[in-house]
Amino acid sequence: MLLNTLLLALREIRRNLLRSFLTILGIVIGVSAVITMVTLGNGATRAVQQQIAALGTNLLMIMPGQRLGPGRSSAGAPTFKEADVEAIRQQIGGVNVVAPQLMSSVTLVANGRNWSSTINGTSNEYFISNNWTLVSGRQFEEAEERAGSAVCVIGETVRRELYGSASALEVLGQPLRIKNFSCEIIGVLLSKGQSGMGSDQDNMVVMPLRTVQRRISGSQRVDVLLVSLQDGSDSERVKASLTNLLRERRNLSDTDEDNFNILDTRQFADAMAGTTQVMTMLLGAVAGVSLLVGGIGIMNIMLVSVTERTREIGIRLAIGALEREVLLQFLIEAVALAALGGLIGVVLATLASLALSAIMQMPYVFNLGINVLSFAFSAAIGVVFGYFPARRAARLDPIEALRHE
Amino acid sequence: MSSTPEDNLPLIRLRGLTKVYGQGQAAFQALKGVDLDIEAGDFVAIMGPSGSGKSTVMNTLGCLDTPTGGEYLFHGLHVERLGRDQRARLRRRYLGFVFQGFNLLARTSAQENVELPLLYRGEPAAARHRAARAALASVGLDGWEHHTPAELSGGQQQRVAIARAIVTEPEVLLADEPTGNLDTQRSHEIMELLWRLNDEQGITVLMVTHEPDMAQYARRIVHFVDGRIDSDTRNPQPAALARRAANTASVASAEGAN
Ligand SMILES: Nc1ncnc2c1ncn2[C@@H]1O[C@H](COP(=O)(O)OP(=O)(O)O)[C@@H](O)[C@H]1O
Ligand SMILES: [Mg+2]
């Protein structure tokens, strides 16, 4: 009986191709829209979370210049000195590491190839404050930092563009030409990919601060101070004592404005994460509407065909079908359509999410919950509106079902 | 079902059958106590004015509807006491239906329509195909197996419906105004077909009609008026027999003139 009923149900689906197609379409649209939207939202959130992680745990960036905002200028504001690093390290509590930073845009030359990149003059603390890991080689030795030796740690992009097929291990010890001097590669950084702003974080060469000061910038200045906080330390308190210390060291009187800025990357990242979460919810809500519209579409199609189906049920009952045979047939039909539609929806959503994530350069995050939820919701609509009118009809006397107008 | 409690029982026996539609103020008594015996192999035409209860009694006989009161014995079995599923089993085992409006499944081939009752009986595919093709052939629809109802004329659709009704080899064929939607020519063809089923295959035929010409094909004519049987007469010479006799006579006289 089950086999026969299955046969009947499948035949019914084929016989009513348009109705079946529209039902499936409603489910497909609903399911795929919700899954795609939520998956993309999840991907965006994940991207922001990864950037937060990449920034390091609670990092303060101190830059010279008047207050942040439109029209701010660092012109005229004195830069930092290497001694500031030591002062912060010794006088401020709750600080994990402090790293200086001196950046410079350069053209690198190696293997007969040119590549535009950024030189980052800093110390070993930078690897900690900004969460960098080495895939090969080593950090700077104290002597190298003190002496400003010509050694460098390169980012993955620099390795790929200049050394191509040479692996992270093979490039160790090779020379890298910058302006008029050559440095030795002592390490390669683990790739971090793009930053939230879309710049390539791996396109960078890290050198000891003094090397950059002497050989590239030709000055004693430090552009940025990176201060990473200990877990659980109060960033507001640290910021306040940093401000006091720096005002003192920069000889500002009580009436002078700060001539430096402290940027809390955590606050920045939190704001961004909050935005993406709101965006995910918004997308989800829009998609929820399409799920609902799809559901109403299914409902409509099913209700429109109720008259025809009621008469059909009357015929089946008259020629000897049992009530439960008719019901089983309609149930199988509804479940088959809903399952097929749901499956197509999930597949489409996965393809669309993968493609869109790739285009938007976001991670693809598979969300089992939303897949199951949207599938179940659409399938339930399909089954409820396919099955329940049939159940009502199958409970009529056959002659009443046949009379149905 | 094979053991009948009383050997002298007819195939069908109605006793004091009543049917009330609706309730309270709106209640309407369509059958007011019908007594009727039908023997196996008979061909009964039920006639009467519109609203006299013909369809109501047919639907009850066909186990499609339940009576309000009285008894309906089929093979000695009290149908009025049966549940829905038991009545459905009775229908698929013993009864075949032909309706005025054909009631074929739309967008479904003649072959599939005819196979449907066999499917509910659980017949294997090969047997279904064979039986359906044979049934269609027996109603003169060779070569029309793959046409859908929309591609068939009214007369052809009714033939498909008859094929569907007889494919299970029922004991009783119930037809409520089977020629009601057909022109005269087509109507006579359908009646010839019903006659053959009765005469050659011994199927008991119960038919509602309001056309006296069509009723003349039956062996027995029952008149309903206002929910009661008004008259019940045997037809001394059913139309098909009469025509055959006339043909034979004219052939004989033609031969005699030679
Ligand atoms: N489902 C129904 N509900 C209410 N009244 C009905 C119903 N079916 C039939 N009737 C009434 O019962 C009477 C007999 O109907 P029916 O048996 O169909 O008559 P006939 O077939 O002889 O024309 C009619 O007056 C009709 O209006
Ligand atoms: Mg009628």
Side-chain angles (χ1 to χ4, degrees), chain B residues 44-81:
Chain B
V44 182
I46 296 172
M47 298 192 71
S50 176
S52 57
K54 307 185 294 293
S55 293
T56 304
V57 83
M58 276 295 268
N59 293 336
T60 307
L61 287 171
C63 307
L64 295 171
D65 209 351
T66 42
T68 310
E71 291 186 345
Y72 169 21
L73 286 109
F74 183 84
H75 272 300
L77 189 78
H78 279 277
V79 175
E80 79 276 2
R81 297 177 193 162

mmCIF file of all heavy atoms in Angstrom, chain B residues 44-81:
data_model
loop_
_atom_site.group_PDB
_atom_site.id
_atom_site.type_symbol
_atom_site.label_atom_id
_atom_site.label_comp_id
_atom_site.label_asym_id
_atom_site.label_seq_id
_atom_site.Cartn_x
_atom_site.Cartn_y
_atom_site.Cartn_z
ATOM 1 N N VAL B 44 -32.073 -2.390 -13.621
ATOM 2 C CA VAL B 44 -33.166 -1.577 -13.080
ATOM 3 C C VAL B 44 -32.977 -0.121 -13.475
ATOM 4 O O VAL B 44 -31.907 0.457 -13.250
ATOM 5 C CB VAL B 44 -33.220 -1.687 -11.538
ATOM 6 C CG1 VAL B 44 -34.390 -0.876 -10.984
ATOM 7 C CG2 VAL B 44 -33.302 -3.139 -11.113
ATOM 8 N N ALA B 45 -34.015 0.478 -14.038
ATOM 9 C CA ALA B 45 -34.006 1.917 -14.304
ATOM 10 C C ALA B 45 -34.852 2.594 -13.240
ATOM 11 O O ALA B 45 -35.957 2.154 -12.944
ATOM 12 C CB ALA B 45 -34.563 2.206 -15.687
ATOM 13 N N ILE B 46 -34.290 3.647 -12.632
ATOM 14 C CA ILE B 46 -35.039 4.412 -11.639
ATOM 15 C C ILE B 46 -35.425 5.729 -12.282
ATOM 16 O O ILE B 46 -34.567 6.472 -12.756
ATOM 17 C CB ILE B 46 -34.198 4.639 -10.371
ATOM 18 C CG1 ILE B 46 -33.900 3.292 -9.712
ATOM 19 C CG2 ILE B 46 -34.912 5.576 -9.406
ATOM 20 C CD1 ILE B 46 -32.928 3.364 -8.560
ATOM 21 N N MET B 47 -36.737 5.969 -12.331
ATOM 22 C CA MET B 47 -37.235 7.179 -12.969
ATOM 23 C C MET B 47 -37.994 8.019 -11.960
ATOM 24 O O MET B 47 -38.224 7.607 -10.839
ATOM 25 C CB MET B 47 -38.139 6.820 -14.157
ATOM 26 C CG MET B 47 -37.417 6.046 -15.250
ATOM 27 S SD MET B 47 -38.412 5.970 -16.739
ATOM 28 C CE MET B 47 -38.325 7.649 -17.322
ATOM 29 N N GLY B 48 -38.384 9.214 -12.399
ATOM 30 C CA GLY B 48 -39.178 10.066 -11.518
ATOM 31 C C GLY B 48 -38.830 11.515 -11.724
ATOM 32 O O GLY B 48 -37.787 11.838 -12.297
ATOM 33 N N PRO B 49 -39.713 12.411 -11.260
ATOM 34 C CA PRO B 49 -39.456 13.842 -11.435
ATOM 35 C C PRO B 49 -38.218 14.294 -10.662
ATOM 36 O O PRO B 49 -37.767 13.602 -9.753
ATOM 37 C CB PRO B 49 -40.723 14.514 -10.898
ATOM 38 C CG PRO B 49 -41.410 13.479 -10.088
ATOM 39 C CD PRO B 49 -40.987 12.143 -10.599
ATOM 40 N N SER B 50 -37.773 15.451 -11.045
ATOM 41 C CA SER B 50 -36.593 15.994 -10.385
ATOM 42 C C SER B 50 -36.886 16.221 -8.902
ATOM 43 O O SER B 50 -37.964 16.682 -8.537
ATOM 44 C CB SER B 50 -36.213 17.309 -11.069
ATOM 45 O OG SER B 50 -35.144 17.897 -10.400
ATOM 46 N N GLY B 51 -35.987 15.863 -8.036
ATOM 47 C CA GLY B 51 -36.156 16.063 -6.595
ATOM 48 C C GLY B 51 -36.940 14.962 -5.920
ATOM 49 O O GLY B 51 -37.256 15.055 -4.741
ATOM 50 N N SER B 52 -37.240 13.869 -6.653
ATOM 51 C CA SER B 52 -38.053 12.807 -6.060
ATOM 52 C C SER B 52 -37.219 11.829 -5.241
ATOM 53 O O SER B 52 -37.760 10.898 -4.661
ATOM 54 C CB SER B 52 -38.813 12.067 -7.161
ATOM 55 O OG SER B 52 -37.901 11.548 -8.111
ATOM 56 N N GLY B 53 -35.912 12.016 -5.209
ATOM 57 C CA GLY B 53 -35.080 11.162 -4.357
ATOM 58 C C GLY B 53 -34.317 10.084 -5.099
ATOM 59 O O GLY B 53 -33.733 9.192 -4.476
ATOM 60 N N LYS B 54 -34.251 10.172 -6.429
ATOM 61 C CA LYS B 54 -33.567 9.145 -7.220
ATOM 62 C C LYS B 54 -32.082 9.067 -6.876
ATOM 63 O O LYS B 54 -31.546 7.999 -6.589
ATOM 64 C CB LYS B 54 -33.721 9.442 -8.728
ATOM 65 C CG LYS B 54 -35.144 9.635 -9.205
ATOM 66 C CD LYS B 54 -35.221 9.809 -10.696
ATOM 67 C CE LYS B 54 -34.556 11.085 -11.204
ATOM 68 N NZ LYS B 54 -35.244 12.322 -10.784
ATOM 69 N N SER B 55 -31.435 10.235 -6.918
ATOM 70 C CA SER B 55 -29.989 10.244 -6.634
ATOM 71 C C SER B 55 -29.720 9.828 -5.197
ATOM 72 O O SER B 55 -28.753 9.117 -4.910
ATOM 73 C CB SER B 55 -29.413 11.635 -6.880
ATOM 74 O OG SER B 55 -29.463 11.939 -8.258
ATOM 75 N N THR B 56 -30.603 10.263 -4.298
ATOM 76 C CA THR B 56 -30.404 9.926 -2.888
ATOM 77 C C THR B 56 -30.415 8.413 -2.695
ATOM 78 O O THR B 56 -29.560 7.848 -2.004
ATOM 79 C CB THR B 56 -31.503 10.593 -2.037
ATOM 80 O OG1 THR B 56 -31.479 11.991 -2.286
ATOM 81 C CG2 THR B 56 -31.264 10.332 -0.568
ATOM 82 N N VAL B 57 -31.357 7.749 -3.337
ATOM 83 C CA VAL B 57 -31.434 6.297 -3.153
ATOM 84 C C VAL B 57 -30.252 5.617 -3.834
ATOM 85 O O VAL B 57 -29.696 4.641 -3.328
ATOM 86 C CB VAL B 57 -32.804 5.748 -3.641
ATOM 87 C CG1 VAL B 57 -32.818 5.529 -5.128
ATOM 88 C CG2 VAL B 57 -33.142 4.463 -2.899
ATOM 89 N N MET B 58 -29.829 6.166 -4.994
ATOM 90 C CA MET B 58 -28.668 5.588 -5.681
ATOM 91 C C MET B 58 -27.405 5.715 -4.836
ATOM 92 O O MET B 58 -26.610 4.775 -4.727
ATOM 93 C CB MET B 58 -28.430 6.316 -7.012
ATOM 94 C CG MET B 58 -29.272 5.794 -8.136
ATOM 95 S SD MET B 58 -28.865 4.093 -8.547
ATOM 96 C CE MET B 58 -27.652 4.365 -9.800
ATOM 97 N N ASN B 59 -27.205 6.901 -4.245
ATOM 98 C CA ASN B 59 -26.000 7.113 -3.426
ATOM 99 C C ASN B 59 -25.999 6.189 -2.209
ATOM 100 O O ASN B 59 -24.954 5.724 -1.776
ATOM 101 C CB ASN B 59 -25.911 8.574 -2.985
ATOM 102 C CG ASN B 59 -25.681 9.501 -4.168
ATOM 103 O OD1 ASN B 59 -25.168 9.058 -5.199
ATOM 104 N ND2 ASN B 59 -26.082 10.745 -4.032
ATOM 105 N N THR B 60 -27.189 5.947 -1.689
ATOM 106 C CA THR B 60 -27.279 5.026 -0.557
ATOM 107 C C THR B 60 -26.953 3.613 -1.018
ATOM 108 O O THR B 60 -26.174 2.901 -0.385
ATOM 109 C CB THR B 60 -28.691 5.083 0.057
ATOM 110 O OG1 THR B 60 -29.002 6.441 0.340
ATOM 111 C CG2 THR B 60 -28.755 4.259 1.323
ATOM 112 N N LEU B 61 -27.543 3.203 -2.162
ATOM 113 C CA LEU B 61 -27.269 1.866 -2.697
ATOM 114 C C LEU B 61 -25.775 1.704 -2.987
ATOM 115 O O LEU B 61 -25.216 0.628 -2.806
ATOM 116 C CB LEU B 61 -28.068 1.640 -3.989
ATOM 117 C CG LEU B 61 -29.570 1.423 -3.802
ATOM 118 C CD1 LEU B 61 -30.279 1.442 -5.156
ATOM 119 C CD2 LEU B 61 -29.828 0.100 -3.086
ATOM 120 N N GLY B 62 -25.140 2.803 -3.419
ATOM 121 C CA GLY B 62 -23.722 2.741 -3.765
ATOM 122 C C GLY B 62 -22.803 2.907 -2.574
ATOM 123 O O GLY B 62 -21.587 3.002 -2.738
ATOM 124 N N CYS B 63 -23.378 2.936 -1.368
ATOM 125 C CA CYS B 63 -22.580 3.073 -0.139
ATOM 126 C C CYS B 63 -21.752 4.361 -0.149
ATOM 127 O O CYS B 63 -20.697 4.440 0.477
ATOM 128 C CB CYS B 63 -21.640 1.892 0.070
ATOM 129 S SG CYS B 63 -22.441 0.311 0.012
ATOM 130 N N LEU B 64 -22.204 5.379 -0.890
ATOM 131 C CA LEU B 64 -21.514 6.669 -0.896
ATOM 132 C C LEU B 64 -22.096 7.566 0.180
ATOM 133 O O LEU B 64 -21.509 8.572 0.552
ATOM 134 C CB LEU B 64 -21.673 7.352 -2.255
ATOM 135 C CG LEU B 64 -21.028 6.667 -3.448
ATOM 136 C CD1 LEU B 64 -21.454 7.332 -4.741
ATOM 137 C CD2 LEU B 64 -19.511 6.686 -3.317
ATOM 138 N N ASP B 65 -23.284 7.215 0.635
ATOM 139 C CA ASP B 65 -24.006 8.038 1.601
ATOM 140 C C ASP B 65 -24.689 7.085 2.583
ATOM 141 O O ASP B 65 -24.930 5.922 2.258
ATOM 142 C CB ASP B 65 -25.046 8.887 0.847
ATOM 143 C CG ASP B 65 -25.324 10.190 1.570
ATOM 144 O OD1 ASP B 65 -24.854 10.339 2.718
ATOM 145 O OD2 ASP B 65 -26.011 11.042 0.985
ATOM 146 N N THR B 66 -24.984 7.598 3.770
ATOM 147 C CA THR B 66 -25.622 6.724 4.764
ATOM 148 C C THR B 66 -27.076 7.140 4.944
ATOM 149 O O THR B 66 -27.393 8.319 4.956
ATOM 150 C CB THR B 66 -24.920 6.836 6.125
ATOM 151 O OG1 THR B 66 -24.637 8.209 6.374
ATOM 152 C CG2 THR B 66 -23.632 6.048 6.139
ATOM 153 N N PRO B 67 -27.983 6.158 5.091
ATOM 154 C CA PRO B 67 -29.393 6.490 5.298
ATOM 155 C C PRO B 67 -29.620 7.018 6.718
ATOM 156 O O PRO B 67 -28.814 6.766 7.610
ATOM 157 C CB PRO B 67 -30.102 5.153 5.082
ATOM 158 C CG PRO B 67 -29.089 4.121 5.419
ATOM 159 C CD PRO B 67 -27.754 4.703 5.059
ATOM 160 N N THR B 68 -30.722 7.751 6.901
ATOM 161 C CA THR B 68 -31.070 8.231 8.238
ATOM 162 C C THR B 68 -31.758 7.120 9.027
ATOM 163 O O THR B 68 -31.537 6.968 10.225
ATOM 164 C CB THR B 68 -32.008 9.448 8.131
ATOM 165 O OG1 THR B 68 -31.431 10.385 7.224
ATOM 166 C CG2 THR B 68 -32.204 10.107 9.485
ATOM 167 N N GLY B 69 -32.594 6.347 8.337
ATOM 168 C CA GLY B 69 -33.281 5.249 9.016
ATOM 169 C C GLY B 69 -33.547 4.115 8.056
ATOM 170 O O GLY B 69 -33.346 4.241 6.849
ATOM 171 N N GLY B 70 -33.997 2.985 8.583
ATOM 172 C CA GLY B 70 -34.307 1.830 7.754
ATOM 173 C C GLY B 70 -33.106 0.925 7.576
ATOM 174 O O GLY B 70 -32.055 1.149 8.178
ATOM 175 N N GLU B 71 -33.310 -0.095 6.750
ATOM 176 C CA GLU B 71 -32.269 -1.103 6.574
ATOM 177 C C GLU B 71 -31.825 -1.171 5.122
ATOM 178 O O GLU B 71 -32.625 -0.995 4.208
ATOM 179 C CB GLU B 71 -32.807 -2.487 6.966
ATOM 180 C CG GLU B 71 -33.064 -2.659 8.441
ATOM 181 C CD GLU B 71 -33.464 -4.096 8.753
ATOM 182 O OE1 GLU B 71 -33.810 -4.841 7.814
ATOM 183 O OE2 GLU B 71 -33.415 -4.466 9.942
ATOM 184 N N TYR B 72 -30.530 -1.411 4.946
ATOM 185 C CA TYR B 72 -30.009 -1.701 3.611
ATOM 186 C C TYR B 72 -29.157 -2.955 3.726
ATOM 187 O O TYR B 72 -28.116 -2.946 4.366
ATOM 188 C CB TYR B 72 -29.188 -0.509 3.099
ATOM 189 C CG TYR B 72 -28.384 -0.788 1.825
ATOM 190 C CD1 TYR B 72 -28.727 -1.849 0.969
ATOM 191 C CD2 TYR B 72 -27.312 0.009 1.472
ATOM 192 C CE1 TYR B 72 -28.001 -2.103 -0.182
ATOM 193 C CE2 TYR B 72 -26.574 -0.234 0.319
ATOM 194 C CZ TYR B 72 -26.915 -1.298 -0.505
ATOM 195 O OH TYR B 72 -26.191 -1.545 -1.639
ATOM 196 N N LEU B 73 -29.663 -4.034 3.121
ATOM 197 C CA LEU B 73 -28.903 -5.285 3.140
ATOM 198 C C LEU B 73 -28.288 -5.527 1.776
ATOM 199 O O LEU B 73 -28.982 -5.515 0.757
ATOM 200 C CB LEU B 73 -29.805 -6.460 3.514
ATOM 201 C CG LEU B 73 -30.184 -6.486 4.987
ATOM 202 C CD1 LEU B 73 -31.639 -6.136 5.164
ATOM 203 C CD2 LEU B 73 -29.850 -7.831 5.582
ATOM 204 N N PHE B 74 -26.971 -5.720 1.785
ATOM 205 C CA PHE B 74 -26.262 -6.063 0.554
ATOM 206 C C PHE B 74 -25.621 -7.416 0.807
ATOM 207 O O PHE B 74 -24.817 -7.562 1.741
ATOM 208 C CB PHE B 74 -25.202 -5.003 0.253
ATOM 209 C CG PHE B 74 -24.464 -5.232 -1.038
ATOM 210 C CD1 PHE B 74 -25.005 -4.796 -2.241
ATOM 211 C CD2 PHE B 74 -23.235 -5.886 -1.052
ATOM 212 C CE1 PHE B 74 -24.330 -5.008 -3.436
ATOM 213 C CE2 PHE B 74 -22.566 -6.106 -2.251
ATOM 214 C CZ PHE B 74 -23.109 -5.660 -3.452
ATOM 215 N N HIS B 75 -26.016 -8.422 0.014
ATOM 216 C CA HIS B 75 -25.565 -9.780 0.301
ATOM 217 C C HIS B 75 -25.888 -10.147 1.742
ATOM 218 O O HIS B 75 -25.130 -10.854 2.398
ATOM 219 C CB HIS B 75 -24.047 -9.919 0.091
ATOM 220 C CG HIS B 75 -23.665 -10.265 -1.325
ATOM 221 N ND1 HIS B 75 -24.086 -11.397 -1.947
ATOM 222 C CD2 HIS B 75 -22.900 -9.614 -2.216
ATOM 223 C CE1 HIS B 75 -23.600 -11.441 -3.183
ATOM 224 N NE2 HIS B 75 -22.881 -10.350 -3.378
ATOM 225 N N GLY B 76 -27.006 -9.638 2.241
ATOM 226 C CA GLY B 76 -27.409 -9.952 3.609
ATOM 227 C C GLY B 76 -26.662 -9.166 4.663
ATOM 228 O O GLY B 76 -26.878 -9.343 5.857
ATOM 229 N N LEU B 77 -25.787 -8.272 4.246
ATOM 230 C CA LEU B 77 -24.972 -7.501 5.193
ATOM 231 C C LEU B 77 -25.643 -6.157 5.466
ATOM 232 O O LEU B 77 -26.067 -5.478 4.538
ATOM 233 C CB LEU B 77 -23.605 -7.270 4.564
ATOM 234 C CG LEU B 77 -22.523 -6.680 5.448
ATOM 235 C CD1 LEU B 77 -21.953 -7.765 6.351
ATOM 236 C CD2 LEU B 77 -21.419 -6.108 4.569
ATOM 237 N N HIS B 78 -25.721 -5.804 6.739
ATOM 238 C CA HIS B 78 -26.369 -4.532 7.086
ATOM 239 C C HIS B 78 -25.428 -3.357 6.811
ATOM 240 O O HIS B 78 -24.601 -2.991 7.631
ATOM 241 C CB HIS B 78 -26.783 -4.533 8.559
ATOM 242 C CG HIS B 78 -28.059 -5.249 8.794
ATOM 243 N ND1 HIS B 78 -29.295 -4.670 8.625
ATOM 244 C CD2 HIS B 78 -28.302 -6.539 9.161
ATOM 245 C CE1 HIS B 78 -30.243 -5.547 8.889
ATOM 246 N NE2 HIS B 78 -29.670 -6.698 9.213
ATOM 247 N N VAL B 79 -25.577 -2.774 5.631
ATOM 248 C CA VAL B 79 -24.688 -1.686 5.220
ATOM 249 C C VAL B 79 -24.860 -0.472 6.132
ATOM 250 O O VAL B 79 -23.897 0.244 6.414
ATOM 251 C CB VAL B 79 -24.963 -1.291 3.750
ATOM 252 C CG1 VAL B 79 -24.130 -0.083 3.348
ATOM 253 C CG2 VAL B 79 -24.662 -2.468 2.828
ATOM 254 N N GLU B 80 -26.084 -0.229 6.599
ATOM 255 C CA GLU B 80 -26.331 0.972 7.408
ATOM 256 C C GLU B 80 -25.558 0.931 8.726
ATOM 257 O O GLU B 80 -25.418 1.955 9.392
ATOM 258 C CB GLU B 80 -27.833 1.176 7.637
ATOM 259 C CG GLU B 80 -28.465 0.305 8.717
ATOM 260 C CD GLU B 80 -28.862 -1.089 8.220
ATOM 261 O OE1 GLU B 80 -28.607 -1.388 7.043
ATOM 262 O OE2 GLU B 80 -29.422 -1.867 9.016
ATOM 263 N N ARG B 81 -25.041 -0.248 9.069
ATOM 264 C CA ARG B 81 -24.284 -0.336 10.322
ATOM 265 C C ARG B 81 -22.768 -0.251 10.092
ATOM 266 O O ARG B 81 -22.005 -0.318 11.046
ATOM 267 C CB ARG B 81 -24.578 -1.675 11.016
ATOM 268 C CG ARG B 81 -26.034 -1.825 11.423
ATOM 269 C CD ARG B 81 -26.249 -3.194 12.028
ATOM 270 N NE ARG B 81 -27.671 -3.490 12.136
ATOM 271 C CZ ARG B 81 -28.167 -4.723 12.306
ATOM 272 N NH1 ARG B 81 -27.341 -5.755 12.401
ATOM 273 N NH2 ARG B 81 -29.467 -4.906 12.394
#
